[in-house]
């Protein structure tokens, strides 16, 4: 299809069409999950929703787990970019606020609950979750690296633990205790985690 | 039934039979959930498994949510009693170890995943989860109260946050990242949380 659409786009900006297809497919992936859950999630449905041929999906992502991982990472990057304020506590607070405003959305809730409820029964999905979180925690840990470089925290601080200590209580409240992610809680949490990491108040 | 069984037990130790029935019913509740999930969880099935009449359950617990809450609290109290070592870090570590060895068991996993996957779709179950966690966090927070009394941490420390900061990363690893709850992680976590609370190393 779309030789006429493809032609001009390719001439105007190389990669333009490819980037648009990627963006449409990742968006459709999230929407499909939010609407139908993981059980009915398929390349066919995503392709239909995105308005592309399903061979495009097979060629680019190979399997639905790879597509899901990329869609989750993209959603995370859009909703909660890595902050850089010059202070560990402020970076943690900014990240916490971004996450707190994104996790109650239907799309994020749908993905989180789908992954947890399927859990160990689907090793491929469990592997997607592990890879998503290890990538995401590694990205967020840059905040801690910068704090170490500034001399704000000791160089032997466990960078992944600092990130986990910030993220976990938010998901714990959202999924388990029903506690609120209000302004005061996020501020206390960020201060607590900065203190745990050994940062002096700034 | 059981007039003959009830008689001697009552004479020997008051409350003996009642305590045995309670214990059998709570155990059967957990087993039923682990085996059949929340969808098929009913007074009928629990009564059958515990070998008591279902009117006993209606009389004592009223609805299945009250029974579930009591069973969850009992399981928590058995598996992870509140430690008292004289040091905040050591108390946190002891509690973390008890929880880490109980949450991968089929019974605890079944309950946790059932509650999360049903989630907001069942307000009564969501309320059970909220009440379980607020009770459990309040119980665990005694560790922090004692640390305040000993002058180990500042009196204005947020006691619930300290408990959440310990529990959340364990459930986060178990349910979301797939990270291991090994010895080193639990030690780092306990030290991190004690530092976050403002405790000097002891």
């Amino acid at each position: 299809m779309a030789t006429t659409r493809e032609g001009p786009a390719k001439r105007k900006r190389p990669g333009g069409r490819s980037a648009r297809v990627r963006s449409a497919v990742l968006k459709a992936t999230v929407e499909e999950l939010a609407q139908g859950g993981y059980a009915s999630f398929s390349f066919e449905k995503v392709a239909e929703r995105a308005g592309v041929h399903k061979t495009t999906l097979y060629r680019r992502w190979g399997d639905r787990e790879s597509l899901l991982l990329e869609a989750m990472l993209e959603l995370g990057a859009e909703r909660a970019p890595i902050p850089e304020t010059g202070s560990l506590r402020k970076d943690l607070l900014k990240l916490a606020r971004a996450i707190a405003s994104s996790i109650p959305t239907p799309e994020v809730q749908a993905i989180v609950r789908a992954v947890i409820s399927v859990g160990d029964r689907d090793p491929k999905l469990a592997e997607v979750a592990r890879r998503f979180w290890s990538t995401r925690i590694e990205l967020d840990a840059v905040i801690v690296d910068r704090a170490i470089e500034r001399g704000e925290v000791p160089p032997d601080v466990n960078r992944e633990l600092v990130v986990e200590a910030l993220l976990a209580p938010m998901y714990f409240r959202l999924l388990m205790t029903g506690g609120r992610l209000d302004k005061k809680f996020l501020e206390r949490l960020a201060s607590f985690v900065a203190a745990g990491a050994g940062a002096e108040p700034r």
Side-chain angles (χ1 to χ4, degrees), chain A residues 19 38 65 70 73 77 85 152 169 171 179 185 192:
Chain A
Y38 186 66
E65 287 78 19
E70 194 169 329
L73 286 169
T85 64
E152 201 182 340
Y171 285 97
F185 171 71
F192 186 93

Side-chain angles (χ1 to χ4, degrees), chain A residues 190-202:
Chain A
S191 299
F192 186 93
V193 174
E200 295 299 311
R202 320 193 153 192

Side-chain angles (χ1 to χ4, degrees), chain A residues 44-110:
Chain A
E44 284 74 8
K45 289 198 173 171
V46 172
E48 197 184 319
R49 188 183 281 267
V52 300
H53 201 277
K54 72 173 181 182
T55 51
T56 307
L57 274 70
Y58 281 108
R59 215 165 38 225
R60 184 148 184 170
W61 286 280
D63 54 41
R64 62 179 199 162
E65 287 78 19
S66 303
L67 173 59
L68 176 58
L69 178 62
E70 194 169 329
M72 285 165 70
L73 286 169
E74 179 75 11
L75 190 64
E78 273 171 23
R79 298 290 175 85
I82 317 299
E84 185 169 6
T85 64
S87 138
L88 179 62
R89 195 189 60 78
K90 284 180 192 159
D91 279 354
L92 292 169
L93 181 56
K94 201 167 175 180
L95 184 60
R97 283 181 178 152
I99 293 169
S101 62
S102 87
I103 50 181
T105 60
E107 304 89 63
V108 177
Q109 286 259 354

